[in-house]
Amino acid sequence: MTTVGEFMTTRLVTMDGGDTLTAAAQEMRDSAIGDVIVTNGDDVIGIVTDRDITVRGVAEQLNPSSATLSQILTQDVITVTQYDDAVAAADLMRTYGVRRLPVVEEGRLIGLVSLGDLAVEREPQSVLADISADEPNN
């Protein structure tokens, strides 16, 4: 059995729910990532993706320099542990229609596994794996 911990990323970016959309977008740009985990202390309270900023923020005409992540985040985030089966993690993504799962240990955030990570691990010859393994082009 391949576990989530074998290929999750531990290079995480977390932000507070009171941080602005602009701050999150700049952090995503600077870190070459597409999401930030929103936390309150050690607790994961949600996730915000670059798409969320566009669709839930900009398209709804929120002011990116004053609107906060708590206004647009996805709550009730489905999490996994590093010991969970990778196939089970992929099934969770499919069931809930998500592309990323925070990895927690005793309620504390320790990593993130993405659909791209699973593709690279499970189907290295797939188009998604090829795209996911490439260097960012931004």
Side-chain angles (χ1 to χ4, degrees), residues 2-116:
T2 303
T3 63
V4 168
E6 293 177 49
F7 55 93
M8 70 181 187
T9 183
T10 56
R11 195 191 88 184
L12 302 171
V13 174
T14 62
M15 297 185 80
D16 185 79
D19 288 330
T20 66
L21 306 188
T22 298
Q26 291 169 339
E27 185 64 48
M28 289 180 200
R29 177 199 61 205
D30 296 346
S31 299
I33 57 174
D35 62 88
V36 294
I37 306 296
V38 183
T39 57
N40 182 8
D42 286 339
D43 297 328
V44 174
I45 61 169
I47 189 168
V48 171
T49 67
D50 47 5
R51 185 176 188 281
D52 294 331
I53 291 171
T54 302
V55 174
R56 295 181 183 167
V58 176
E60 293 298 323
Q61 298 182 352
L62 298 179
N63 180 340
S65 59
S66 62
T68 64
L69 297 181
S70 62
Q71 291 177 261
I72 67 162
L73 62 78
T74 298
Q75 297 177 346
D76 301 323
V77 177
I78 306 303
T79 62
V80 292
T81 73
Q82 63 182 324
Y83 307 109
D84 285 336
D85 179 52
V87 173
D91 288 343
L92 281 173
M93 288 180 187
R94 184 179 305 110
T95 299
Y96 290 98
V98 297
R99 294 182 174 109
R100 299 166 181 88
L101 297 172
V103 182
V104 296
E105 184 172 302
E106 296 178 11
R108 187 176 54 83
L109 180 66
I110 62 167
L112 184 77
V113 63
S114 71
L115 185 60

